[in-house]
Amino acid sequence: MSTASIITLDERETARVATELAERLEPGSVVGLQGGLGLGKTVFAKALAAAFGVEETVTSRSYTLVAEYEGRLPFFHADLYRVRSASEVETIGLEEYFDRGGITVVEWCDRVPEVVPPDAVVVSFELNDDGTRRITIEERV
Ligand SMILES: Nc1ncnc2c1ncn2[C@@H]1O[C@H](COP(=O)(O)OP(=O)(O)O)[C@@H](O)[C@H]1O
Ligand SMILES: [Mg+2]
């Protein structure tokens, strides 16, 4: 397990961290994003999508749980903000996306920890007292 922690001052720096992570992902990678509202999870997800050549705008949604985009690899963006249980996640079939050879990004992965694969990259977002963000990336390498 490797852990790296980075302070970002703005959206652009958060996007750059995502772009660098993208280089280490491969078909089938799952990236879980966790941390409070407004800390940059969707900014990060959008930059990951862009790194995989997704041209369509990745939006923040709470009504569809998983959105599918086309890039160099299939790109799946899930948001579990409103999910309450693992059985609800089973209903949407989240785990089936993991086996499709794409990149799956799961916002609010900590809501349902049991659906996060053991080899997922977990990215945590925290707010520092000075208003900067801390991004911590845990990867199995
Ligand atoms: N260091 C930073 N990294 C990412 N976003 C930041 C940062 N500083 C300020 N912001 C702002 O915070 C907001 C983050 O929103 P978003 O990515 O939708 O959060 P989340 O998906 O975690 O709820 C954006 O409006 C962004 O411009
Ligand atoms: Mg979000």
Side-chain angles (χ1 to χ4, degrees):
M1 183 73 83
S2 95
T3 304
S5 203
I6 307 116
I7 303 287
T8 68
L9 302 181
D10 57 28
E11 190 167 326
R12 197 177 41 89
E13 290 188 0
T14 293
R16 191 187 313 139
V17 176
T19 306
E20 285 168 11
L21 173 64
E23 288 172 20
R24 304 193 293 277
L25 301 178
E26 45 193 43
S29 288
V30 177
V31 180
L33 308 182
Q34 59 186 27
L37 206 55
L39 294 190
K41 297 181 295 302
T42 299
V43 167
F44 195 94
K46 284 174 192 267
L48 274 183
F52 284 98
V54 173
E55 288 177 6
E56 199 182 333
T57 306
V58 173
T59 52
S60 197
R61 329 148 316 269
S62 33
Y63 44 97
T64 34
L65 292 175
V66 189
E68 187 167 343
Y69 299 92
E70 230 174 278
R72 279 190 295 284
L73 297 174
F75 190 91
F76 308 109
H77 180 220
D79 191 327
L80 304 185
Y81 183 58
R82 288 176 195 285
V83 165
R84 293 283 164 262
S85 67
S87 62
E88 219 178 300
V89 176
E90 263 167 50
T91 313
I92 61 170
L94 180 62
E95 278 147 320
E96 285 152 36
Y97 294 94
F98 299 162
D99 300 326
R100 287 177 51 189
I103 304 296
T104 309
V105 178
V106 185
E107 281 193 50
W108 294 100
C109 64
D110 49 328
R111 295 259 153 144
V112 196
E114 52 274 56
V115 304
V116 180
D119 60 349
V121 177
V122 177
V123 185
S124 305
F125 296 77
E126 293 164 281
L127 187 61
N128 295 316
D129 291 337
D130 60 3
T132 62
R133 315 297 218 264
R134 176 186 297 274
I135 301 176
T136 303
I137 301 183
E138 290 172 84
E139 285 174 83
R140 224 164 267 277
V141 286

